[in-house]
Amino acid sequence: MLSFTEENYLKSLFQLTVETALKEEAGTNELAAHLGVKPATANDMLKKLKEKKLIKYEKYGKSSLTKEGKKIAIDVIRKHRLWETFLFEKLEFSWDEVHEVAEQLEHIQSKKLIDKLDKLLNYPVSDPHGDPIPNAKGEMMILHQQTLAEESVGHQCKMTGVKDNSSAFLKYVDQLGLAINKTIKVLARHEYDDLIEIEVNGKRISVSPKFAENIFIFCTACKKKTNR
Amino acid sequence: MLSFTEENYLKSLFQLTVETALKEEAGTNELAAHLGVKPATANDMLKKLKEKKLIKYEKYGKSSLTKEGKKIAIDVIRKHRLWETFLFEKLEFSWDEVHEVAEQLEHIQSKKLIDKLDKLLNYPVSDPHGDPIPNAKGEMMILHQQTLAEESVGHQCKMTGVKDNSSAFLKYVDQLGLAINKTIKVLARHEYDDLIEIEVNGKRISVSPKFAENIFIFCTACKKKTNR
DNA sequence: TTAATTTGTTAGATAAGCCTAACAATTATA
DNA sequence: TATAATTGTTAGGCTTATCTAACAAATTAA
């Protein structure tokens, strides 16, 4: 049985590597920053998790999950996202409120609880932020190929999720009338100040590149294939 | 913000004193036994909780909750019993499975979560074991005046709850066809071996005094007033 | 009322998870 | 390539919650 802390290290490592799919390993400082601890603290834990065969780690090297470590990380993420979905669907939480509580709920140990929760929610495949929910076997869809920042002018797309899960960002998204499954059309990119002009709900709005980078979209026109 | 452990000490102290209503204070060894720790450990925590003004404690004396400590204890119990009710009502858990998971869930911190859960469950007043659920203000019904062991021969009563919440006992109750709200008639008490013969579901069964002491009942004939 | 038993306390250890400060290795840059 | 900047490690400390062993107080029984 792992501690909450150990589970959080595995989850962070997963999120920094496999989930983003851009790399296989993460550095000690990077991991420490993601978890909000000092590098020295993370270093101790890396040795401990290596000892438990949950991660691969060599002194002065980067770290990655073993098969067993990945399995646990995915399980924690499954729990986190199922709880978020439950809070949103059944308990009237808004999408910017669910994360904080799910951070606590994700560590509850009970296979039956999670499987029944999954059933109650009718086996959802994505959470309120559009992130994929692994199934009971640990399999998960990989979505999120493209961000709004990368979309071409003139193209129309659908919002599929968000990269930044902070409450502040999510509230801002709400304010602008954006939401998962909304249709977005990219009207223009302004060279002068880099703002992107889009159409949502029949209205024209401008968003910053920073904002656009945090909005995941799916563009049918683009026909990009989903890998894995 | 209290630790899980601190919350558990307050809850135990509440259960050993106020809830049973038989006494106001509990001893160090008694509390330690209830929590499954050594007296030395409990002793340290008692000093700490006194420091935080959550309990009254003097060296070599017994301990009791302060107003603030009691408030926290009741809040933890409210969460525990609401979660038990949720697991039972919404997630198809049996009454002997809910306690273990609720022990974990009772420490989740989110007022909104609990209030919404309460609403989802339609503001239940008792949990699957018949124990009263404190409301959002910390008010709770006091039930459980009498046990089956005390009921007179010839009287008819209704089962209202159980004193022993162990999985083993609860399964045994199930097996015998007993359940909350079942009507029980006391047919006889056998002097020879102290067994109590009762009628439930139109069938005659015999139960031990130990068993009967753990079944709470309400006897209309008796008309005992509920205190507090 | 003394002695035995029970109950409660203290001191000293341990493990987990965190920290700071100092140092070492690696990588980037001038 | 030498040096500066970044990244990672080690050593030593702190807190929380636990333990054991030894001891002290309170209660019960002879």
Side-chain angles (χ1 to χ4, degrees):
Chain A
M1 178 111 314
L2 299 183
S3 67
F4 285 21
T5 309
E6 289 168 320
E7 287 192 347
N8 284 334
Y9 274 84
L10 295 177
K11 186 181 62 158
S12 273
L13 193 47
F14 184 86
Q15 288 174 338
L16 289 173
T17 58
V18 182
E19 193 161 50
T20 57
L22 297 172
K23 49 180 181 169
E24 275 298 311
E25 315 171 301
T28 305
N29 286 6
E30 187 188 3
L31 187 61
H34 195 252
L35 284 157
V37 298
K38 299 293 165 189
T41 306
N43 188 262
D44 285 347
M45 184 58 87
L46 289 175
K47 288 185 207 160
K48 187 175 163 193
L49 292 174
K50 184 200 171 160
E51 203 53 46
K52 292 192 176 187
K53 296 198 160 57
L54 298 172
I55 66 165
K56 285 164 226 155
Y57 161 76
E58 295 303 331
K59 209 161 142 174
Y60 291 107
K62 297 196 180 289
S63 307
S64 62
L65 291 165
T66 62
K67 201 166 180 178
E68 179 61 16
K70 192 194 265 186
K71 197 180 131 205
I72 294 168
I74 288 174
D75 189 54
V76 175
I77 287 170
R78 168 170 158 80
K79 290 192 278 182
H80 182 99
R81 294 183 181 164
L82 280 175
W83 279 116
E84 285 193 340
T85 306
F86 170 74
L87 296 173
F88 186 78
E89 299 280 334
K90 304 290 183 187
L91 299 190
E92 307 173 60
F93 275 61
S94 57
W95 76 335
D96 58 283
E97 294 173 321
V98 298
H99 180 78
E100 187 192 337
V101 183
E103 282 291 300
Q104 300 178 60
L105 288 162
E106 73 189 6
H107 302 294
I108 303 293
Q109 306 285 201
S110 168
K111 181 157 172 27
K112 179 165 187 170
L113 171 59
I114 289 308
D115 291 345
K116 290 289 187 181
L117 198 62
D118 199 11
K119 183 181 175 189
L120 178 76
L121 299 169
N122 206 25
Y123 308 103
V125 296
S126 59
D127 75 12
H129 310 116
D131 292 322
I133 301 178
N135 67 16
K137 289 177 188 163
E139 302 157 344
M140 64 198 285
M141 298 192 325
I142 301 292
L143 307 160
H144 298 158
Q145 303 312 304
Q146 218 183 338
T147 68
L148 180 56
E150 295 150 15
E151 183 59 302
S152 314
V153 172
H155 277 197
Q156 193 164 287
C157 58
K158 264 199 176 178
M159 176 166 159
T160 58
V162 290
K163 191 181 276 181
D164 179 354
N165 276 2
S166 72
S167 178
F169 177 68
L170 297 173
K171 281 181 180 162
Y172 190 18
V173 174
D174 276 343
Q175 257 177 43
L176 295 182
L178 274 164
I180 287 172
N181 282 324
K182 285 273 180 183
T183 296
I184 302 172
K185 188 170 181 185
V186 179
L187 301 173
R189 287 169 176 281
H190 299 287
E191 296 288 316
Y192 181 70
D193 55 6
D194 291 332
L195 291 196
I196 303 165
E197 206 174 329
I198 61 174
E199 185 184 308
V200 191
N201 304 318
K203 287 187 302 187
R204 301 171 80 92
I205 56 174
S206 291
V207 299
S208 66
K210 182 182 172 188
F211 183 94
E213 275 162 24
N214 283 298
I215 299 288
F216 286 121
I217 56 154
F218 177 72
C219 176
T220 26
C222 292
K223 277 190 184 171
K224 275 199 180 175
K225 269 192 277 183
T226 53
N227 54 21
R228 263 184 306 160
Chain B
M1 177 115 312
L2 300 183
S3 69
F4 285 22
T5 308
E6 289 168 321
E7 288 192 345
N8 283 335
Y9 275 83
L10 295 177
K11 185 180 63 157
S12 273
L13 193 46
F14 184 85
Q15 288 173 338
L16 289 173
T17 59
V18 182
E19 193 161 50
T20 56
L22 297 172
K23 49 182 182 169
E24 274 300 309
E25 316 171 300
T28 306
N29 286 5
E30 187 188 3
L31 186 62
H34 194 253
L35 284 157
V37 299
K38 299 292 167 188
T41 307
N43 187 262
D44 284 348
M45 184 57 88
L46 289 175
K47 288 184 206 159
K48 188 175 162 193
L49 292 173
K50 183 198 172 162
E51 203 52 45
K52 292 191 176 189
K53 296 197 161 55
L54 298 173
I55 67 166
K56 285 165 227 155
Y57 161 76
E58 294 303 332
K59 209 162 145 175
Y60 291 107
K62 299 197 179 288
S63 307
S64 62
L65 291 165
T66 61
K67 200 166 181 178
E68 179 61 15
K70 192 193 265 186
K71 196 179 133 204
I72 293 168
I74 288 175
D75 189 54
V76 174
I77 288 170
R78 167 170 158 81
K79 290 193 277 183
H80 182 100
R81 294 182 182 165
L82 280 174
W83 278 116
E84 285 192 341
T85 306
F86 170 73
L87 296 172
F88 186 79
E89 298 281 334
K90 303 292 182 186
L91 298 190
E92 307 173 60
F93 274 61
S94 57
W95 76 336
D96 58 284
E97 293 172 323
V98 298
H99 180 77
E100 189 192 337
V101 183
E103 282 292 298
Q104 299 178 60
L105 288 163
E106 73 189 6
H107 301 294
I108 303 294
Q109 307 284 195
S110 167
K111 181 157 171 30
K112 179 165 187 170
L113 171 58
I114 289 308
D115 291 346
K116 290 290 185 179
L117 198 61
D118 199 12
K119 183 181 175 190
L120 179 75
L121 299 169
N122 204 26
Y123 308 103
V125 295
S126 60
D127 75 11
H129 308 116
D131 293 321
I133 301 177
N135 68 15
K137 290 177 189 163
E139 302 158 344
M140 63 198 286
M141 296 191 327
I142 300 292
L143 307 161
H144 299 158
Q145 303 313 305
Q146 216 181 343
T147 69
L148 180 56
E150 296 150 14
E151 181 60 301
S152 314
V153 172
H155 278 197
Q156 193 164 291
C157 57
K158 264 199 176 178
M159 176 167 160
T160 58
V162 290
K163 192 181 276 181
D164 180 354
N165 276 3
S166 73
S167 179
F169 177 68
L170 297 174
K171 281 180 181 163
Y172 190 20
V173 174
D174 276 343
Q175 257 177 43
L176 295 182
L178 274 164
I180 287 172
N181 281 324
K182 286 273 181 183
T183 297
I184 301 172
K185 188 169 179 185
V186 180
L187 302 172
R189 287 169 174 281
H190 299 287
E191 296 287 318
Y192 180 70
D193 56 6
D194 290 332
L195 291 196
I196 303 165
E197 206 174 329
I198 59 175
E199 186 184 307
V200 192
N201 303 318
K203 285 187 304 189
R204 299 172 81 93
I205 56 173
S206 292
V207 299
S208 67
K210 183 182 172 188
F211 183 94
E213 275 161 25
N214 283 296
I215 300 288
F216 286 120
I217 56 155
F218 176 72
C219 175
T220 24
C222 292
K223 276 192 185 171
K224 274 199 179 175
K225 269 191 277 183
T226 53
N227 54 20
R228 262 185 307 162

